[in-house]
Structure formats: structure tokens, C-alpha cells
Amino acid sequence: MSIDSIDPDDVDAADILGSAIERREDPALVTGDAEYTDDIQLDGMLHMAVLRSQYGHARLRDVDTTAAEEMDGVVAVYTHDDLHREDTPSGGSYSLPVGWLLDSLRQVDHPILADDRVRYQGDAVAVVVAEDRYVAHDAADAVAVDYERLDAVADPDDALADDAPTLHDDAEGNVAFEWEIGDDEKTDAAFDDAAHTVSLDLENQLLIANAMEPRAAVADYHPGTDELDVFMTSQNPHLHRLLMSGVIGHPEHKLRVKAPDVGGGFGSKIHHYADEALVAWVAKDLERPVKWTATRTETYKTDAPGRGHRTLAELAMDDAGNITGVRVDTRANLGAYLSTFAPAVPTYLYGTLLSGQYDIPAIHCSVTGAYTNVPPVDAYRGAGRPEASFLIERLAHLGAREVGMDPAEFRRQNFVPDDAFPYDTQVAVSYDSGDYEKPLDEALEMVGYDDFRQRQADAREEGRYLGVGFSCYIEACGLAPSELAGQLGAQAGLWESSLVRFHPSGTVTAFCGTSGHGQGHGTTYAQIVANELGIPYEDVEVVEGDTDEIPQGMGTYGSRSAAVGGSALVKSSQKLVEKARELAAHQLEADPADVEFDAGEFHVAGAPDRSVGIKALAEQSYLAHDIPDDMEPGLEATSFYDPDNFVFPFGTHVAVVEVDPASGEIEFEQYVAVDDVGNQINPKIVEGQVHGGVAQGVGQALYEGAEYDANAQLLTGSMQDYAVPKAMHIPEMDTGSTVTESPHNPLGVKGVGEAGTIAAPQAVMNAVVDALEPFGVDHLEMPMTAETVWNATGGSAATDGGTEPNRDGDRDRNRDGDADADGAPDAAVDDGGER
Ligand code: MCN
């Protein structure tokens, strides 16, 4: 089942909001007409290459740039000391800032060029600027670095161990923070009283985002005006401008950050990295345009990876299968330094979602953030919420099995009831609205669940192993309001801003502070504005991603654009309508209170022939020949919209797989996704977002994982080694939806951008584990490669269809390199509450 796109010309203006019209941005993207950062060519442009540490951890004894400087075509070579020399153009911090603070946070210095020590393979040591990109890279190789190698650590548990090497003097024991949420005493009591408990010792592996377009930046300095233009792959140009201004010491109002077309971000282009700051600083220092584009290897080594949790998770239940408690202890990998929003991800974006879709009376979660010798870890699609959802839905699977209930019915029994919203969880957040049974019912229907167990039993008779896996996920998007975010540690407001401008001829440009990079904002925002103003969709143009054009903005991440950016556009549009109403009243000689607005026309109540269109009023407002005395000419409005709560999308995803124990291969029979993202502005774009998200979630479940060796050397530094799934690896998806409006924004929308990624991994794992139940497999580590599965089953059919595990643990390769004596499963089921 797939939604067909509609030509916007075939849609009545009144129906434009909610129509599955085709994306207007696609023709340029698919005909090569789009302009990416690397496409930008400026006169006299130089190229920058970054020399990166080849070691996970080392002291820099000496960095000798002589040979590189002498190479033909090399214009300059910079190291840490050059940034601080006396004649530098400005005094920046030359260290990267952190945008989210926690009480217990131990901040550490994050220089944009390493001082005396490198802390991950990829840490920037020197930059070379040359007339040609290839020369720049060759010259970077010619910089001679005398490293003194130090012990390194890539895993958070290893980093927190007593004998671990210390990364930073300011963070003893490599502890970046200790954080908790929920009520520990109440939760311990729930476990003491529990009739049943299950526990999981799991890893949520590090992932690398793999956008199609690597990070890139072009900087152009104008000495005459002291203006510095930076074109870069950004999800949030205004935030980048603010942060970069401090890092390189250039005044914010003379710094322009523009994101041209951006080929995917998935979170990795939110953060402020050293490279973009260096390009800007170098361009200013040399007074010449400079370009840097990451190689694919550089993206593997430096793009902020996501996830990286090790967790002990427990579920307590009563005799009737009601969940009575959840207890979680997580060690989160933060990498070598704190990335821009890193502290928020394994804390507030994670612990607050641990109630899942369930009415759970006691929850406690503690998290220790660990510095390790991997690149700084930060938000990657879903960010914190996939980790929470994975954990809860894995526990739900095991819990149902422990109490002998059907997994779907176990979930249904524990759902927050639909009359309990707004629902206050035990982990600080209040769910806005929900009706969790609806997507579950629709998914069960789509998957034909009534017959499934019989089919599964029949297949097992034939030595075939089918499994079904459920994921009843919840996510939180549009983090808000700013005051609350500030109390939680955000160093920024989380509003969004828009400017909607009528032109005198009646067409409109809508500017928004979000910055789409594949999500189709040009289409959906035009749908919103056209609907509010009652004008044709074609008459609305959308502009994002340029600090010179858009007054202010917070950017695109956390699936916030529809709920927060879209609402800012509604607010500005409504201001326009109100101003136009006054002008209409003036022209129609009526009281504004008597002037009604419908489908782009104002008319006097009860006198439909006394009317004037909003487009005509736009012209009148600019002519200003006949407007009210106290009215300013022109028709445009700016708004800042600060929501009063998050929005909480939800849904049920179901995977049906067949697992071949002899080869370890997993094949999808079906993948069903039923999502509730509130009202849908454009169902086709919503479906596309779900598809993309599920692809990434399936990637995590089956293929992807950043692997480091004992020296914190990246073993998966290319597409050859880091298995990004190909199209043939992704199942056909059957999508469905239910609609539960959010009461917290004028559109009634919830976010969708991360839904698929949050939902998919546990749907797949629950299905695989369900298939392998006869082998006694409770849990597998991700990615569930054929090798992992094969090791867990012993590579043969279960002898008696019974529950005896048949594994060959010797062959199992663990992430930490140890042979795992019992194969992958680390789940335990018992009926006591002791930890
Ligand atoms: N939408 C809708 N109806 C809704 C909700 C959303 O029609 N009820 C539309 C929106 O108007 C928008 C799109 O769906 O056109 C996604 O909206 P939203 O959920 O608000 O997410 P954002 O636009 O804020 O995008 C961010 C989100 C995130 S956090 C990641 S990561 C991600 C994702 O989007 N990265 C992406 N999707 C991506 N898609 C592409 N192609 N590339 C990425 O890098």
C-alpha cells in the first residue's frame, strides 16, 4: 500500500492542507539543478585539507610543517599555535562550545586544532590550504607529526573502569556526568514486590549517519566590509552563525551562514565541528575564499556518531501481567569531547521516554556519561528516543513471554488508556494526546495476526522459523517550551521564527528559521501558508537556510519543523489576515468585527457582495493611497512561536521475518508501519519520512555499527566495512496511519521525521527473537548479522522444536572482542526482584 502523489493543479485550494501533492523540490534535485556546497566555485578559491590524528589517543611531541609549506601550490599551513598568534585577525575561543549543560557536567576544552594531545582518530592536528584540493591533501600528508601513543578506550564501560586511561585532567575517571530521573525508592519497592521480573543487559551500538553529501563549507571574506560569508552543510544556520561567531571571534552581524541544498543530515549536520570554523577562520586570515569538503573517510572519522549505550534494563510485573516498574542503568558513550548537544541526548531525550506507551507507576533511570577515544557523540536521527523505545519494547517482548501472554495483548493491557490524556509519566513529561490501541489494531489487521501463530506453528513443523515482532513506540518532538528547556540545561531557546511577506502583486514569500535538508519543507510550508491565506499554492515560495534572508531561526532537528516552524508560519499568516481584515474593513466601510474571511476573500457579514480579496488588499497596502490613518504600509508579519509542550507521536510497527538458522539469514515477509503523527500536512511526505526512517532503523538492527579496536582505531571506516543497507536490503513497507491531533499547536500536528528510526530496530529484533524462540534465544546484539544469528542458533534446526539453546558460543564475536561463552543473548528471566 503506497500513497500516490497528486498534481497540485488537481487539488482544490480549500483542500491543499492535507493533500498528498508531489514535492516541488524534486525536479531540481533529480535533474542536477540543485546547488550543493561543493558545487560552489568562487574566483581565487583555495582548498583546505585537514591533517587528522591517525591514533585514537596520543601526545603530540612535535608537528613539523616545513615540508608541507615548501610544496608547490601550498599557500599556508596552520597548527594550534597559529590560531593564537598575535597578528590573528580576531580573538576567538578556538574551542567548540557546548549547547546543553547538566548540573554534574564536567566540561572539557575542545580546541579546533589539537594542542598537545589528540583524543580520537580524526582529531584535527593541522590544516593545509593550497591552490588545488589534491595538493592540499598531499601536503597534509607531508606534515610530520611525532606522536607518543597513549592507551586508548572506545567503550563506555571500559572507560569507566578503574584501570582506564584518563582522557582529560578535568574529568576524573572519564566521567562526563552522572544523571538520574524518576523515583529510585518507589522503583526498588516495585521490584521488591514484583511477581515477575525480566532483565536485559544490552548494547545500543554506535552508528554513523552517512548522509549522501559529506560535510562541506566554503568561506568568503570581504575585507572592505569585514563581512564573512560561510556556505555550509547546516541543519541550523542561525545556530551555526552564533556558535561560529564566538569560536572564530567574528561579529555575528557580519557573519552570514547559508545552507545551500543539503544532501541529508540525519542529525550529523546540527553540530558545530572544528572543520567549518577552521574554513571560516582561514578564509579571513588569508583574505581569499576557501573550500573544504570532507572525504567519505573523513565523515566516518569525524561526523558525530549516535547511540553508543550500554544498559542494564529491568521490568517488574504483577501476577496479572501489569507492568509495575522499570529500572534502567545506562553508561553512555560521549566520545572524546562534548559535541554541541551531546549532554541532552542520553539524558532528557532518553530518560523521559522510558514509560513508552505504558501506564507505569514506578520508573527510575540513571545514566553515566563517559569520555572515550571515539569522535564526539551527539544526536543521530531519533537521538535518545530510539534507545528508550528499543529498551522498553524489548522488555515488553520478554515480559509478555515471562507472564505467558500474547505480546500484542500484553502491550494493550498496559497501554495508557485513551481517556487518560494528558498523561503525566513518572519521568517528568506529560503526553499531549494519544490513542494507542488504534494503530495496534490497524497493524494487527494489516499483518493478518489472527492467522499468524498457526502459520508459525505449521512452518516450524517444516523446519522453517517465522517470527513476528511488535514495536509500540512513542517519541517526543518539538522540545518546548523554551523556559522548560532552559531549566533542563538548554543554552538556547527552542522557539521558531517566521516571516510571511505578501508582494504587491499578491504572491507570497514565506521565510522560516527551520532549515530543511530533504524533508520537503518547500512543499509542506507552502501548503500551510496557502491554506491560511486562502491563496493558490503556486503563489507561495518558501525560503529557509540563510541568515541574511531569514531574521532568526533555530533550525531543523528533533522532528520539530512541522510542529514548531509550521506553527510559526501559521502565526505570521494569521497576523497578516488580521491586518488585511482592518484594511478590508476600511475599504468596505465596515467594522472590522463584521468582516469575515474565507478562502482568500473578506466580506461583510450578511453582505457577500461587499467583498475584497486578500491579494488585492496586498496591492492596496503597498500603494498606501487609501489605508487607515494609523496603519503602516505593506503586508508582512514576523512571529516567534514558542510551543507550550512537546508533541508525542506514536504508532505500532510490526515486522514478520523468516530466519534460516543454517545460514543465519533473515528475510522480511512483511513490514507494517502504522504511525500517528496527528494531522498530516502532506501524507505522501509523511509516508516518505517513515520509509526513510525505517530504512535507517532496519540498518541499525541488521547491518550498521561503528566498530573500534582496542586502540580506538575505527575498523568500519568505509562503506566496504560499515554496512549501510542497499535498497534490496530494505523490506517493502505497508504503511497506515491514525490521526490523534496534538492540542499544543494550531495545526494539530506531531513530528514524523524520526518515527521510523525510533520504531524499527526493536520490531525487527522482536521478530527475529520470536522466530528463534525454539533455540532459547532471548536477545541478540545489533547488528544482527547472519554470523550473529548463526552463532546463536548453532547453525542448525532446533532438534525438538523445544527450548534448548543450541549454540556454538566459541565462534561468537563480541563487540569488545571477547569470545562470548553463551552466544549473544544477555537476557535473563527470573521471578525475583534482586539486582
Ligand atoms: N509533516 C507532515 N505532517 C506531519 C508532520 C510532518 O506533513 N504531521 C511533514 C513536514 O511538514 C516536513 C516533513 O513531514 O515536510 C518532516 O517534518 P518533521 O517531522 O517536522 O521533521 P523535520 O522537518 O523537523 O525534519 C527533521 C527530521 C529529523 S530530526 C531527521 S534526523 C531527519 C528527518 O527529519 N533527517 C532527514 N528526515 C530526513 N529526511 C531526509 N530526506 N534527510 C534527512 O537528513
Side-chain angles (χ1 to χ4, degrees), residues 265-266 517 519 521 524 558 561-562 677 679 681-682 689 750 752-753:
F266 312 110
H517 44 280
Q519 294 88 349
H521 293 175
T524 50
S561 301
V677 298
N679 291 328
I681 300 159
N682 184 323
Q689 287 291 309
K750 303 183 177 199
V752 68

Side-chain angles (χ1 to χ4, degrees), residues 746-818:
L747 291 162
V749 296
K750 303 183 177 199
V752 68
E754 294 155 296
T757 324
I758 293 170
Q762 59 274 14
V764 178
M765 183 174 294
N766 286 340
V768 172
V769 168
D770 185 56
L772 297 181
E773 198 176 343
F775 298 85
V777 175
D778 292 326
H779 184 67
L780 293 166
E781 291 298 6
M782 297 187 290
M784 295 181 287
T785 61
E787 182 189 13
T788 309
V789 173
W790 189 82
N791 283 328
T793 61
S796 63
T799 43
D800 56 359
T803 54
E804 276 305 298
N806 180 8
R807 305 177 200 127
D808 182 354
D810 293 344
R811 292 199 195 90
D812 188 42
R813 184 174 54 93
N814 235 342
R815 283 185 174 278
D816 51 16
D818 300 340

Side-chain angles (χ1 to χ4, degrees), residues 25 28-29 32-40 213-214 216 231-234 258-264 269 515-518 544-545:
E25 37 280 275
L29 293 172
D33 206 21
E35 186 179 61
Y36 296 94
T37 301
D38 195 52
D39 293 331
I40 295 171
E213 182 198 15
F231 306 93
M232 61 184 273
T233 49
S234 171
K258 177 179 162 120
D261 286 308
V262 175
K269 292 170 182 165
S515 193
H517 44 280
E544 291 182 293

